[in-house]
Amino acid sequence: MKRRSILKSAVALAAVAAVGVSAGTAFAQDKYSIALIPGLTTDAFYITMRKGAQAAADALGVELIFQGGPEFNPVVQVPVLDAMIARKPSAILIAPTDTTQLVEPLRKANEAGIPVITVDTFIGTGKYQTGAGDADFPLAYIASDNVLGGKMAARALANAMGGEGKVYVSNVKPGISTTDQREEGFKAAMAEEFPKITVLDTQYNENDANKAASQLQAVFARNPDLKGVFGANLFSALGAGNGVQQAGQTGNIKVVAFDAPTSIVDNIKTGLVDVAIAQHPAEIGYYGVVSAYAHLTGNSIPVSIGTGFTVIDKTNVEDPNVAKYIYSE
Ligand code: T6T
């Protein structure tokens, strides 16, 4: 009898231990996993965003899963998102590659109970949690103020050109919130503040720098008095700058670049590019992870967080306080 009760207690103890072990395992599995799906993986902008996100993940003890496609394209991004939803991360941070085509795919994540935060780009109108529209379900939008950035680009280009002449925007394609807003801001500032500048038709390059370079040469062939170009993102700007060089127009056709990879910064040093407007992608990644974590741990979060810009030109390109905003490769 006595022996039996000892046995019983041993079984009970073993059961407790088993619960302890499984509770421990469950705890390990309960570590939050935050997915970051960039516009594309090989872009210095998103590589830098990932670094900021990883810094926050390390500080908070959460797992960061960085997964994306090789091209900035909804057809490529949606399957990556679907696969991520199947993995059931605790939250998804995503730079949607199209304002409308990512709405339904992201709704699936939301309906599966995975909180969604958009970083860099937005879906719908970008006004979330308003109860209006069918694309307001993401919890937050963390990004640069792209309309303002476009206005800053217009002012920088007008200044470099002496306030008159012909320019055009080298852009990716319509339907991307960031680059659409930059073009909108650029055109608005040109119309309101620089009446002697003519803005020619936008050239769309599908995020292909080679195409952007050929387009520059074609626009220049049709407009030998072309005085400036605004490259509305990294590949547009890189290509437009290369086009200016290939046309033998370095210094004559002014180039203002959105984004600041090392190649564009090098082009500032040689005089090919006049100004680069650096976004702060590391901050976008950092605050993305912090916001997701705050939400997961029961805190309220801001529905929108704006990060800043650093304007880089020949006068400050060597300044260490400016150099820290050059994107990582
Ligand atoms: O300009 C960034 C980003 O903000 C935009 O949404 C897409 O292009 C970049 O990634 C640069 O290539």
Side-chain angles (χ1 to χ4, degrees), residues 15 25 28 48 50 79 146 152 218 221 232 243 257 259 311:
T25 314
T48 311
R50 178 188 189 173
N146 288 289
M152 290 165 65
D259 293 310
V311 178

Side-chain angles (χ1 to χ4, degrees), residues 242-293:
N242 289 343
V244 167
Q245 189 173 37
Q246 287 153 13
Q249 292 301 310
T250 303
N252 292 336
I253 300 177
K254 305 295 182 186
V255 181
V256 169
F258 221 84
D259 293 310
T262 46
S263 48
I264 286 182
V265 173
D266 290 345
N267 290 344
I268 291 179
K269 293 179 186 161
T270 66
L272 177 59
V273 171
D274 294 87
V275 174
I277 298 176
Q279 303 187 73
H280 295 176
E283 291 170 26
I284 297 176
Y286 190 93
Y287 287 104
V289 169
V290 168
S291 300
Y293 182 80

Side-chain angles (χ1 to χ4, degrees), residues 39-40 43-46 49 72 95-96 119-121 144 146 172 176-179 182 207 232-236 258-259 279 284 327:
L40 75 164
D43 178 335
F45 173 84
Y46 294 112
M49 183 188 290
F72 195 98
V119 286
D120 177 44
T121 45
S144 309
N146 288 289
V172 182
I176 303 169
S177 67
T178 45
T179 46
R182 289 169 202 162
N207 228 20
N233 84 331
L234 192 157
F235 300 100
S236 307
F258 221 84
D259 293 310
Q279 303 187 73
I284 297 176
Y327 300 175

Side-chain angles (χ1 to χ4, degrees), residues 204-224:
Y204 293 109
N205 56 54
E206 306 279 332
N207 228 20
D208 177 346
N210 291 329
K211 198 165 173 185
S214 319
Q215 287 171 335
L216 183 290
Q217 295 183 68
V219 175
F220 177 56
R222 293 194 296 272
N223 302 275

Side-chain angles (χ1 to χ4, degrees), residues 16-327:
V16 169
V19 168
V21 167
S22 75
T25 314
F27 180 74
Q29 281 167 354
D30 275 357
K31 177 176 171 178
Y32 293 118
S33 55
I34 298 178
L36 172 57
I37 303 177
L40 75 164
T41 50
T42 54
D43 178 335
F45 173 84
Y46 294 112
I47 292 170
T48 311
M49 183 188 290
R50 178 188 189 173
K51 279 196 164 177
Q54 190 64 58
D58 292 346
L60 296 168
V62 304
E63 183 193 4
L64 180 76
I65 309 166
F66 182 79
Q67 204 113 83
E71 276 173 44
F72 195 98
N73 185 335
V75 175
V76 175
Q77 191 179 41
V78 169
V80 174
L81 171 61
D82 285 342
M84 190 56 77
I85 295 171
R87 278 178 75 171
K88 298 192 193 319
S90 313
I92 291 179
L93 308 175
I94 184 168
T97 46
D98 191 280
T99 47
T100 53
Q101 292 184 56
L102 265 293
V103 174
E104 291 315 315
L106 280 172
R107 193 189 311 289
K108 280 197 234 161
N110 189 52
E111 285 173 357
I114 304 169
V116 174
I117 290 176
T118 75
V119 286
D120 177 44
T121 45
F122 60 71
I123 53 168
T125 61
K127 305 267 180 279
Y128 299 152
Q129 301 293 312
T130 60
D134 66 352
D136 79 320
F137 57 84
L139 294 177
Y141 170 52
I142 303 168
S144 309
D145 178 340
N146 288 289
V147 176
L148 174 64
K151 289 184 178 177
M152 290 165 65
R155 290 170 191 143
L157 190 55
N159 184 39
M161 293 163 53
E164 55 189 351
K166 288 184 184 167
V167 301
Y168 78 95
V169 182
S170 175
N171 211 341
V172 182
K173 62 184 162 195
I176 303 169
S177 67
T178 45
T179 46
D180 283 355
Q181 287 193 323
R182 289 169 202 162
E183 183 175 334
E184 179 195 324
F186 180 86
K187 287 183 170 167
M190 284 300 190
E192 285 159 23
E193 301 169 29
F194 305 103
K196 291 189 186 155
I197 291 183
T198 306
V199 181
L200 304 171
D201 288 347
T202 297
Q203 303 294 307
Y204 293 109
N205 56 54
E206 306 279 332
N207 228 20
D208 177 346
N210 291 329
K211 198 165 173 185
S214 319
Q215 287 171 335
L216 183 290
Q217 295 183 68
V219 175
F220 177 56
R222 293 194 296 272
N223 302 275
D225 52 350
L226 183 71
K227 284 282 170 290
V229 58
F230 168 40
N233 84 331
L234 192 157
F235 300 100
S236 307
L238 196 58
N242 289 343
V244 167
Q245 189 173 37
Q246 287 153 13
Q249 292 301 310
T250 303
N252 292 336
I253 300 177
K254 305 295 182 186
V255 181
V256 169
F258 221 84
D259 293 310
T262 46
S263 48
I264 286 182
V265 173
D266 290 345
N267 290 344
I268 291 179
K269 293 179 186 161
T270 66
L272 177 59
V273 171
D274 294 87
V275 174
I277 298 176
Q279 303 187 73
H280 295 176
E283 291 170 26
I284 297 176
Y286 190 93
Y287 287 104
V289 169
V290 168
S291 300
Y293 182 80
H295 172 76
L296 291 167
T297 51
N299 297 286
S300 65
I301 60 171
V303 74
S304 128
I305 297 179
T307 52
F309 297 112
T310 298
V311 178
I312 308 179
D313 62 16
K314 230 173 184 162
T315 64
N316 65 4
V317 67
E318 306 287 358
D319 179 342
N321 286 324
V322 166
K324 71 181 175 202
Y325 291 108
I326 297 169
Y327 300 175

